[in-house]
Amino acid sequence: MLHDPNRVYVFDTTLRDGEQVPGCQLATPEKIEIAKALEALGVDVIEAGFPISSPGDFQSVVELSKAVREPIICALTRANRKDIDSAVAALQYAKRPRIHTGIGSSDMHIKYKFNSTREDILQRAVEAVKYAKQFVEDIEFFAEDAGRADNVFLAQMIEAVIAAGATVVNIPDTNGYCLPDQYGSKILYLKENVKNIDQAIISVHCHNDLGLATANSLAGLINGARQVECTINGIGERAGNTALEEVTMVLKTHHALNLKTNINSKHFTEISSMVSRMMHMPVQPNKAIIGQNAFAHSSGIHQDGFLKHRENYEIINPEDVGLNSADIILTARSGRHALKHHLERLGYEIDRLNLDQVYERFLIMADEKKTIGDDDILYLMSDTEEGAVKNGYKLNLLQVLCGDPLSPTASIRLEYDGVEQEAMATGNGPVNATIKAIQTIVGKDITLKEFTIQAMHGGSDDVSKVNMKVAYEGKSYVGYGFSTDIVKASANAYLDAMNKFI
């Protein structure tokens, strides 16, 4: 691996560390689908699995090695020959194979996990690297629980495994214990005290037990590490791992760090959704970068500032992570500016509305419904009784007579600019008769292009939502109407579309 001093290599372990989470196990075809998405994302290394752990994991590494050609394919082992032999066999089809082997480095692990001594652990580490090096050139060594390891012994271990052939040295904060300054200092200590450190890339692998995984990884990178190990959505054992999308967007946002990755962040939303769906791990709404609320603004003060200038309240462009735009969430805390934004987006001409009256009715609805969606706004605007529409036709009366053997007949009274007009028409149905009566009053050549009816919630007593698209003088206009009466909803939808060009 050629090493650009400002380049940070991204090592993704979603399919190994992430898949160890209970309930997140994947079949091989699912792993291949995610691996191909990771390849498109631009990750440098994919840790494909732990081959010795199960036949399924072994086969997944084999198949991923065949399916993915650009990233390095990495297989995890413990520091013993049996594990390494299994990894070598699983990686036989990999274009760019890597073996990831290692052993505990903290006195706690040495004593209570291995019941051993520093001297013995050091020997086992060196032997594992030398053995793996016979088969694969690219060897990564992990010093498990390095976050709690004695720095002097850790430096001795790292120097020894690099001398034995390690090309990457992983300094994991396995239990998410370190504070960022502690972890950053540990990386800097290794940079300054390991004589052959320039012969390997330092990698950071941080867990999120105290919510510090991203912060610790960044501290490590700032102090000289050049590979970051992470997962999509930050999934992983216990509280998870460093989130790939978080650490890479920090580097992309903070140009002064002068650190860069090969990640195409526009794929984040898509791959986050894929991993969440396949691994049955919902993403918390307030999750940085890819949570559903990450680019949602609901405070009136924030909405106003955002609409005046996006960067008032956004440091990342949503398009950079694969979203079309930010969300302005309408709640009772939203101001007129936010409501005006949504009305304009839905095609209403603000200068033709009494915005103050619309906003008063909006607040009443928002107090009752908490969050207001597009259908709610359209329903709100269908009620013009309080003068929401200053100009245009208003329905004052609708009477329909129909039934076998009667011909459907509609009587209608419209008000325009303070003047009422009445008309009657027959049609092949009550809606058709109503539209004909409206056309008699308006006297314009309007063509109905689309007409759909749906219940807003369900049930025979529900409010009906009618969508109509009409054409007038070569242009199309969409209108919406709401009522428990389908005919009235249809009349309101037709008038709503018509009022947009009258």
Side-chain angles (χ1 to χ4, degrees):
M1 183 185 290
L2 297 176
H3 182 45
D4 174 349
N6 297 321
R7 169 73 187 279
V8 173
Y9 298 95
V10 176
F11 177 113
D12 183 272
T13 186
T14 302
L15 299 177
R16 200 278 300 171
D17 212 332
E19 209 228 1
Q20 291 177 188
V21 177
C24 288
Q25 286 67 42
L26 299 170
T28 297
E30 293 173 315
K31 289 186 178 182
I32 291 173
E33 187 175 347
I34 291 176
K36 288 182 176 179
L38 291 170
E39 183 176 33
L41 182 65
V43 303
D44 301 288
V45 185
I46 296 176
E47 189 164 45
F50 186 4
I52 196 70
S53 65
S54 74
D57 232 36
F58 180 94
Q59 194 59 34
S60 289
V61 176
V62 171
E63 296 304 324
L64 259 68
S65 297
K66 296 176 182 177
V68 178
R69 308 308 291 166
E70 289 305 315
I72 292 168
I73 300 297
C74 180
L76 183 71
T77 80
R78 293 164 296 190
N80 66 65
R81 294 194 171 199
K82 189 175 181 181
D83 278 26
I84 293 169
D85 287 340
S86 180
V88 170
L91 290 168
Q92 62 182 303
Y93 299 106
K95 179 182 177 183
R96 303 170 67 196
R98 175 184 292 180
I99 290 177
H100 190 188
T101 192
I103 200 165
S105 62
S106 69
D107 288 330
M108 181 172 293
H109 275 217
I110 291 169
K111 180 177 180 180
Y112 294 108
K113 181 177 177 180
F114 295 100
N115 190 26
S116 187
T117 64
R118 286 184 174 183
E119 292 73 23
D120 178 61
I121 291 295
L122 193 62
Q123 182 180 349
R124 289 166 66 178
V126 169
E127 288 178 352
V129 172
K130 285 184 176 179
Y131 183 69
K133 193 75 172 182
Q134 297 177 62
F135 308 101
V136 176
E137 177 60 30
D138 189 7
I139 306 297
E140 178 170 344
F141 176 83
F142 66 85
E144 190 176 13
D145 202 26
R148 295 188 294 179
D150 173 70
N151 282 354
V152 175
F153 174 68
L154 181 63
Q156 183 184 359
M157 174 181 275
I158 296 305
E159 188 170 315
V161 297
I162 293 174
T167 50
V168 181
V169 286
N170 179 9
I171 315 300
D173 184 21
T174 306
N175 295 287
Y177 171 75
C178 289
L179 296 173
D181 65 323
Q182 294 172 333
Y183 189 71
S185 296
K186 188 177 289 283
I187 300 301
L188 184 61
Y189 181 87
L190 296 176
K191 287 283 290 181
E192 294 177 342
N193 291 276
V194 174
K195 290 186 297 184
N196 54 1
I197 197 66
D198 60 338
Q199 298 175 27
I201 293 173
I202 299 176
S203 184
V204 291
H205 180 115
C206 298
H207 282 259
N208 205 39
D209 298 72
L210 293 174
L212 295 171
T214 296
N216 283 338
S217 293
L218 287 165
L221 295 174
I222 289 168
N223 282 280
R226 287 297 179 267
Q227 178 177 280
V228 59
E229 307 195 3
C230 38
T231 61
I232 299 297
N233 299 341
I235 64 170
E237 289 194 273
R238 305 185 312 279
N241 291 47
T242 301
L244 187 154
E245 61 279 357
E246 291 178 10
V247 71
T248 55
M249 286 309 293
V250 171
L251 299 184
K252 187 170 184 176
T253 303
H254 285 273
H255 304 290
L257 293 175
N258 198 26
L259 296 174
K260 59 188 179 183
T261 71
N262 196 39
I263 295 297
N264 182 350
S265 61
K266 293 183 185 294
H267 291 288
F268 278 152
T269 297
E270 179 184 3
I271 195 170
S272 168
S273 177
M274 176 190 293
V275 169
S276 174
R277 182 182 71 254
M278 288 187 177
M279 290 190 162
H280 311 291
M281 281 283 284
V283 176
Q284 66 194 62
N286 63 324
K287 170 75 172 63
I289 314 300
I290 42 78
Q292 68 182 41
N293 293 343
F295 295 93
H297 306 273
S298 65
S299 160
I301 294 173
H302 286 215
Q303 290 173 339
D304 180 64
F306 168 82
L307 290 169
K308 288 174 177 173
H309 183 62
R310 182 187 67 81
E311 292 181 2
N312 279 331
Y313 287 99
E314 279 188 359
I315 60 170
I316 299 170
N317 189 330
E319 293 179 356
D320 287 345
V321 298
L323 289 172
N324 291 328
S325 63
D327 287 331
I328 302 296
I329 307 300
L330 288 177
T331 70
R333 294 177 299 282
S334 298
R336 286 173 175 78
H337 199 167
L339 178 60
K340 177 175 174 283
H341 164 77
H342 280 286
L343 288 170
E344 289 176 328
R345 183 178 60 80
L346 292 171
Y348 291 98
E349 296 181 27
I350 300 302
D351 60 356
R352 300 180 61 210
L353 299 177
N354 188 327
L355 188 59
D356 287 340
Q357 288 189 12
V358 175
Y359 184 65
E360 287 175 10
R361 295 204 315 280
F362 160 77
L363 289 177
I364 294 171
M365 177 184 281
D367 277 334
E368 295 175 351
K369 205 165 183 287
K370 308 308 179 188
T371 300
I372 303 299
D374 284 357
D375 279 353
D376 298 305
I377 297 173
L378 297 170
Y379 186 36
L380 180 77
M381 295 306 295
S382 72
D383 175 14
T384 61
E385 294 299 316
E386 295 180 44
V389 178
K390 295 189 292 185
N391 300 300
Y393 283 94
K394 178 181 175 184
L395 180 65
N396 284 349
L397 173 71
L398 172 63
Q399 291 180 330
V400 177
L401 182 65
C402 62
D404 192 14
L406 299 175
S407 295
T409 304
S411 298
I412 197 162
R413 183 187 303 148
L414 301 181
E415 179 182 332
Y416 183 81
D417 199 20
V419 178
E420 286 191 332
Q421 291 178 273
E422 294 187 21
M424 179 183 294
T426 60
N428 57 20
V431 172
N432 180 248
T434 300
I435 290 175
K436 283 185 173 181
I438 293 173
Q439 289 175 332
T440 300
I441 293 174
V442 176
K444 294 184 181 296
D445 185 16
I446 303 168
T447 304
L448 179 60
K449 304 279 286 184
E450 293 180 15
F451 174 41
T452 60
I453 303 173
Q454 67 184 86
M456 286 188 67
H457 306 292
S460 60
D461 60 347
D462 194 10
V463 172
S464 296
K465 173 191 173 187
V466 173
N467 294 21
M468 280 195 185
K469 180 186 284 187
V470 303
Y472 178 69
E473 293 186 346
K475 294 183 179 180
S476 294
Y477 303 86
V478 178
Y480 305 91
F482 298 81
S483 178
T484 52
D485 183 328
I486 291 174
V487 180
K488 183 179 179 182
S490 301
N492 285 334
Y494 191 79
L495 289 171
D496 183 46
M498 191 177 68
N499 281 334
K500 289 172 179 173
F501 62 82
I502 291 295

